[in-house]
Amino acid sequence: MPSRKSDIESPSEEQISVIHESRAAARDRYGDNKTKQYEKTSTAALLRNPLKGMTREEILKDVDTFVEEKGLQDHREDFRKGALIAQVSNIPSGFEDIEILNESEKDVLRREITHKWSQPFMLYFLCTLCAGSAIVQGMDQTAVNGAQIFYYKEFNIKHPMLQGLMNGAPYLCSALVGCWTNPFLNKIGGRRFTIFFSCAMSVITGFWMAAANSFANLLVARFFLGFAVGAKSSTTPVYSAECTPKTIRGALTMMWQMWTAFGICLGFVASVAFQYTDFLGPNSQWRWMLGSTSLPPLFVMIQVYLCPESPRWYMERGRFIQAFRSLCRLRNHRIQATRDMYYAYKLLVVEQNNSSGFSFMIPEGTARLVCITLGLYLFMVVYSPGEGPVPFTYSAEAFPLHIRDIGMSSSTAITWGFNFILSLTWPQLVVSFGDTGAFCWYGAWNIFGWIFTYFMLPETKGLTLEELDGVFSMKNREHSSYYFRKLPWYANKYALRRDVAPFPPLYKFEENENESHGSKSDIAENSACVNYRFATSIMRSLRTISIVGCHAEGEVGDVIIGGVLDVPGKTMYEKLEHFVTKKDDLRKLILNEPRGRSSMNTNLVLPPCDPRADAGFLIMESEEYAPMSGSNAICTTTVLLETGMLPMEEPVTKLNLDTAAGLVGVTAYCKDGKCKSVAFDNVPAFAAALDLKINVPGLGEVSVDVAWGGMWYALVEASAIGLKVANEYGPQLVEVGERVKRAVQAQFTPVHPENPSIKGVSILVITEPVEDGDKCKIAKNAVVVSPGRFDRSPCGTGTCARMAVMHARGQLKVDEIFRHRSIIGTEFVNHIRGTTKVGDYDAILPTVQGRAWITSYKQIVLDPEDPFPTGFRVGDQWHVPQEPKP
């Protein structure tokens, strides 16, 4: 199965309003100057999934309402599955974690990624219809090239403007009338009817032109051909774009020009084939040439009603049952059809609410002919993959569904209008300026077109038609400004061939990290504002991780806010286990040298599993994953609020954090956009053993207490090991502390009564005696954390474990203040807010309060050639006696 990857860029959703909201929030937080600085880095349009932020229950309820309203009750379960898949549609393998999908359905979705051209017969049959329509278009355009030589003579047409008028009449009709029939024809009978009508007009006008007996009759016939050209060109690309999956839409709809080119070829073939067919009279060859254009549209007319109608056309008119049937014929499986239909429906709801010219200077001869022919050929080589096919396809993608018909009409009308102008004026241009001058005039307009395209046209690759509404909501000024700033980058990279870092993208996908598991938080959306400040140039890398640096009372607790996707798990503890068993390389990459050090932790913000929580997070330490940590909870809360990932309310913000140890209530005290301090209501803490006798090598029998405070702790008095909690005893405290901890681990294994998977002591607390302070108790401790270093803070969960021991000994009462200090003198202010039971244990409900400060905004990257993809450890810093393992 393909590895999961995030859908990050194109080119690499509230619509544009999200950008303005993010910028407004940034101005409020950082001021106008800083906002302008990071806005210049990347004018990014966020492309938003309309299902973002909805819980599983909300989606399923919405689906039930949808199927009831639209008469699709018989397909309720399929639409439920399709909606959940749609929620993670921007993550190619996000469906892997959707439990209600069976393995065969997941195989269908996997194959969709690995075999994108494996599509049903009907989709390709529809594409052949569109190809046939394009052939008709091309042949209508070029059969006249040979015919004009003969009908000029038969009707004695000598004036250049009359010649141009005859040639350009279909384009004039297309621009003035033909294209504008598109909305009316589509309203009457849909996409298929419009294509049928246009091909019928091609048949009629083809025979009409062949039978014309005067200049005026032929001119009128060619004018009426414009009804076919206009309606067909403004509908067929839309029909193809609306029916094809987004992964192959560009390739299939671009085939419009390939088959148009084939039709152009057939037009020339017809001209050559009938050039000597004059048995109807002198110069009558043109009748066969123009009459032959009536044959291809007959085949399209036969085929068109064998194809399904556009599902989006049905949906626009409220005919959802027919839309579903149509889409089922165009997809391999029902869940693909329900996914695409429901996703399109939700987005529609949002939408409704919201250089050969100089060769002529060469003297007559073979060289002149060769240069002219080569120039024309090279022009067509360049024209065919870009300037030719893209405008029709691009127009089909650019307009929202409710104005797509009229928008496509206006776009193609402009195209055919200029085509008429060119056809009308070309003979006169050749007369006035000569061949070279006429081609130079045409070439100059191509230069204008290149400049306009570079600065003004947005990218549409790889997005659904509804998602593109957000792209086209970007202001032209912002788009052109971005590409103006990018010009020096292009010059350095491609002209000067310099090794330059990637330029920040214009469009970014929000990572739907918090969607597949029913989170109601909007973490990913709000982190977008933060990520603008990270949009600096970065090296090529296997992975890039966005981190906010932070410390709580001295202990480093950085917070990952981007670059890591959510993982499967019904609880945060299950997610923790997933990282332990399958993704531990992330912890090693960040915390091992050279990117990390032993005295730091990293927190990973994830969508919560508990519906009461605002966010979830996992704690990664140098040696393990901690179920809960006080200093890390304080760091994570500070980062969530000060970066705007969660809204800050002054003076007090209350949150719930989902941890592997359980739900933790948080109260943040805020002022002037700053999180001044954080108090968290920890999970219940309790003493599992008091005065436990442990045999410690080199020390003999030592008395320890074992308690739970979010992790399992062993507590030992400093006097019992002959030391004091002070920096000058640092090396001895660490060495002896590790020795005591290992002895406890070997001789006593506490097991959490509510989660037997959590067992065994992780950390040792070395304590000084409790003293009486001013209406409070005061104590100092040193917390020894593997692989052999001090917690710089007083340690939040260690403090809770000590409070449980003190309460069990009668040293600390409910609501009594306890000031707990670290080896560097920083302090947590704590109290017991109540008591409870955990299994058979008497437990306390502890509250811990401390402060944290953001220290940096950074990105961790992994170069593909880095010999240490999971880092390394060296014994001088990590205090490990054995050979370090990466």
Side-chain angles (χ1 to χ4, degrees), residues 263-284:
I264 290 171
C265 175
L266 288 182
F268 284 119
V269 168
S271 296
V272 174
F274 294 115
Q275 64 178 317
Y276 301 117
T277 310
D278 59 355
F279 62 83
L280 294 180
N283 300 316
S284 63

Side-chain angles (χ1 to χ4, degrees), residues 230-303:
K232 187 178 337 92
S233 63
S234 58
T235 297
T236 308
V238 170
Y239 182 48
S240 177
E242 290 181 340
C243 293
T244 52
K246 71 176 183 178
T247 53
I248 60 172
R249 186 190 69 243
L252 288 181
T253 53
M254 284 297 216
M255 290 173 64
W256 165 265
Q257 180 62 19
M258 183 186 77
W259 292 108
T260 300
F262 183 71
I264 290 171
C265 175
L266 288 182
F268 284 119
V269 168
S271 296
V272 174
F274 294 115
Q275 64 178 317
Y276 301 117
T277 310
D278 59 355
F279 62 83
L280 294 180
N283 300 316
S284 63
Q285 295 94 322
W286 65 271
R287 301 182 183 276
W288 299 97
M289 297 175 186
L290 296 183
S292 65
T293 62
S294 294
L295 297 179
L298 286 173
F299 294 99
V300 178
M301 292 170 67
I302 294 171
Q303 184 182 359

